[in-house]
Amino acid sequence: MHFGAAFFERETGERGYKMEDTIASIATAVGLGGIAIIRVSGPRAKDILSRVFRPHRANRAMTSHRLTYGEVWEGERRVDECMAVYMKAPHTYTTEDVVEFQCHGGAVTAQEVLAAVLRAGARLAEPGEFTKRAFLGGRIDLAQAESVMDLISARTARAAHASLQQMDGYLSRRIHALQDKLLDTIAYLEATLDYPDEDIEPLTARRAAEEARAVQTALQEAVRNARAGRLLSAGVRIVLAGSPNTGKSSLLNCLLREQRAIVTDVAGTTRDVLREELDLFGLPVQLSDTAGLRSAEDAVERIGIDRAREELRRADVALLVLDSARELTPEERSLLRETSVPLVVALNKTDLNARTGVEDVRAARLPWDSCFSFAILLTSAVTGEGIEDLRRALYEAALRGASPEEAYLTNERHVQAAKDALAALESAVTALEDWTLDCAALDLRAAWDALGAITGESATEDVIDRIFEKFCLGK
Ligand code: GDP
């Protein structure tokens, strides 16, 4: 890897890349706001500061990590009155010299301050480039860098908390512990390979296989729980379906009641699919209310229904609302039979005389019952009966046994790397059973490498670039 930068290694063991250019960007969100922050990082940061910033009290030296009040000037034009801070390397976000300007918010001023900084010698930062520098500078690893983005895009407090934990290095510590185990086993195997002894080999192979299996078990568990981690960051899609008038909107309102709205402007609202966001015990949920599902002759309505069925196919969980005071219709029976995602049925209007019971629903669901997670809840949107249980059932159906507390692989990239490591471990165990210790050592190394891709030790440059491209500007 070169990253267009010089590699350094200090006596303290710290190592990383030192960048030659200085980058700048607006770090705060676009729009009206009290304050906007312009961030500058790189070897010329201090020089740029002295060119564009005039402290209010002349000749006042700027102390590192202290805010100073003053003005930004471009030539003889005063651009803004603001606060500025110079942060000396290496104790900064990027590990480089960093300067930040806290200027007035809004559409114009921040752009003008940025323009002044760029003219003074910085170049515009690419998305995620500040965090990439923190990674290349050796301050954080790749998984920690990814968690910065997860934290920014978190939609519930619980998701934010999980990202913060990962930023502290929780995931990296777990991965390193597994890698250390592998290294010990590799060293143990290699010692035997260096001094071959036919009496010892079978014993060595058995012990190494045990160690490899222990790592395998831990990783399998991690992959199983990763679902919870992904749901925490990416959110859960729950699709509400059912015939008209069964109480879908009423139940939706019950579910949303007392919920803090997560997102104010709901994107993707179409004429026939309404989306709402809710916080389900910390899982960010996007709940879509489809058009009433029933067979329709009318062509326009047909389109709406097709879209609803499409929504259902893509759902993480389907919530089917049935009216317990009516008999099941043929369409409802076919939905019960056909839905091939985890299904939660709310048998609603239990405050009225029942004409359909749990057993009727269960009978209509067969033979899928055993294939997909399936729960039936008795609810009343009028009395509030069963709403809390419904929430719990939706939560469990989404998680499918994964535990959010144990979810430390949080994205698809981590899961793929863990699966690569598992495949290599499988082949190591097979090699150990055949007493081919040299092959096993290679496979264990491959497993070690696959895990290293998570923390970035063995990630390739294009993978790293792809990760940071997805970041937002100014981070
Ligand atoms: P949707 O068409 O499936 O969205 O159904 P709505 O939520 O609009 O409800 C249809 C009708 O059923 C309305 O008059 C609601 O007040 C009523 N309703 C909804 N849930 C219940 C319930 O649990 N019990 C009773 N008695 N009526 C309900």
Side-chain angles (χ1 to χ4, degrees):
M1 281 191 277
H2 54 85
F3 297 104
F7 184 75
F8 70 83
E9 185 155 12
R10 299 198 185 96
E11 281 172 7
T12 50
E14 292 165 277
R15 39 199 204 137
Y17 292 84
K18 205 170 170 60
M19 301 294 155
E20 280 162 17
D21 52 356
T22 298
I23 54 172
S25 176
I26 299 174
T28 36
V30 181
L32 290 186
I35 290 170
I37 294 178
I38 289 88
R39 187 185 243 177
V40 188
S41 177
R44 294 200 55 199
K46 195 173 184 190
D47 174 49
I48 291 169
L49 175 71
S50 66
R51 281 167 194 261
V52 304
F53 186 70
R54 299 184 189 170
H56 221 243
R57 275 193 275 151
N59 301 329
R60 197 182 141 157
M62 291 191 56
T63 315
S64 181
H65 291 79
R66 281 265 181 87
L67 274 175
T68 304
Y69 172 56
E71 289 168 351
V72 170
W73 284 71
E74 192 178 11
E76 285 317 299
R77 192 171 70 87
R78 192 169 77 119
V79 177
D80 193 20
E81 188 184 71
C82 70
M83 305 287 282
V85 59
Y86 159 62
M87 290 172 273
K88 190 169 158 47
H91 300 295
T92 64
Y93 185 73
T94 56
T95 73
E96 303 175 317
D97 273 354
V98 169
V99 164
E100 285 180 12
F101 298 94
Q102 298 184 2
C103 67
H104 287 98
V108 179
T109 310
Q111 289 292 349
E112 288 200 325
V113 172
L114 176 64
V117 165
L118 294 179
R119 258 178 237 125
R123 77 161 164 81
L124 196 61
E126 286 163 20
E129 204 173 356
F130 292 94
T131 310
K132 186 176 180 180
R133 287 187 172 204
F135 164 67
L136 293 177
R139 187 177 69 78
I140 54 174
D141 64 30
L142 204 50
Q144 287 173 302
E146 285 172 302
S147 62
V148 172
M149 202 58 226
D150 288 343
L151 177 62
I152 292 173
S153 43
R155 287 184 285 159
T156 65
R158 188 167 183 179
H161 179 80
S163 309
L164 200 61
Q165 204 179 29
Q166 185 172 324
M167 222 158 82
D168 288 342
Y170 178 71
L171 162 65
S172 312
R173 281 194 296 279
R174 304 279 299 244
I175 294 297
H176 282 144
L178 295 176
Q179 281 187 301
D180 286 348
K181 266 195 172 173
L182 290 178
L183 267 194
D184 286 347
T185 315
I186 294 167
Y188 177 63
L189 280 182
E190 283 174 353
T192 309
L193 286 170
D194 288 343
Y195 303 98
D197 178 342
E198 285 182 6
D199 292 339
I200 291 182
E201 274 178 23
L203 282 175
T204 308
R206 195 158 43 164
R207 211 185 108 189
E210 273 167 23
E211 301 278 324
R213 277 205 204 91
V215 175
Q216 221 176 0
T217 309
L219 267 182
Q220 276 159 347
E221 179 87 344
V223 169
R224 216 179 2 263
N225 287 323
R227 181 179 167 72
R230 277 205 310 276
L231 293 178
L232 264 183
S233 55
V236 184
R237 271 190 319 259
I238 297 183
V239 172
L240 195 61
S243 313
N245 279 321
T246 53
K248 292 184 298 302
S249 316
S250 312
L251 275 183
L252 181 64
N253 284 336
C254 289
L255 288 172
L256 290 172
R257 202 168 296 147
E258 293 161 30
Q259 294 282 335
R260 198 156 37 90
I262 302 170
V263 174
T264 42
D265 59 337
V266 179
T269 306
T270 66
R271 210 151 43 100
D272 30 44
V273 181
L274 171 82
R275 295 178 210 281
E276 298 276 0
E277 293 246 355
L278 76 130
D279 180 335
L280 192 64
F281 305 109
L283 286 184
V285 167
Q286 190 184 60
L287 220 152
S288 336
D289 182 5
T290 63
L293 279 171
R294 63 190 147 151
S295 44
E297 301 303 324
D298 182 292
V300 177
E301 199 167 310
R302 185 77 247 164
I303 293 170
I305 289 165
D306 284 348
R307 199 166 295 175
R309 286 192 188 273
E310 180 55 34
E311 284 279 316
L312 263 182
R313 263 192 294 277
R314 294 192 299 125
D316 293 306
V317 177
L319 168 56
L320 174 62
V321 182
L322 301 172
D323 184 342
S324 65
R326 284 199 293 102
E327 306 275 340
L328 289 176
T329 65
E331 287 75 28
E332 287 168 338
R333 287 179 185 281
S334 82
L335 259 184
L336 277 166
R337 259 196 322 272
E338 288 163 18
T339 305
S340 56
V341 294
L343 175 64
V344 174
V345 175
L347 201 46
N348 193 36
K349 306 197 188 181
T350 51
D351 53 295
L352 304 179
N353 285 336
R355 299 184 63 183
T356 296
V358 171
E359 282 316 312
D360 302 309
V361 178
R362 202 182 295 285
R365 173 70 175 168
L366 289 170
W368 283 112
D369 207 355
S370 54
C371 300
F372 297 97
S373 126
F374 179 50
I376 309 172
L377 283 300
L378 296 173
T379 63
S380 166
V382 171
T383 65
E385 185 204 330
I387 302 297
E388 210 39 48
D389 291 342
L390 177 61
R391 257 199 205 117
R392 184 54 67 183
L394 289 170
Y395 178 75
E396 314 239 299
L399 286 174
R400 282 187 241 164
S403 154
E405 286 73 29
E406 278 302 308
Y408 60 92
L409 300 176
T410 46
N411 68 37
E412 204 45 61
R413 192 183 74 79
H414 301 160
V415 173
Q416 194 47 54
K419 285 183 176 164
D420 292 346
L422 276 172
L425 281 170
E426 191 57 47
S427 113
V429 169
T430 310
L432 288 167
E433 281 165 358
D434 294 342
W435 299 354
T436 45
L437 304 193
D438 47 350
C439 291
L442 283 178
D443 288 330
L444 291 175
R445 279 223 173 266
W448 188 93
D449 270 344
L451 291 181
I454 296 177
T455 51
E457 285 151 21
S458 55
T460 57
E461 195 167 335
D462 60 323
V463 166
I464 291 168
D465 285 344
R466 232 176 302 138
I467 288 170
F468 287 104
E469 271 164 20
K470 286 191 241 138
F471 272 55
C472 50
L473 270 172
K475 195 61 216 177

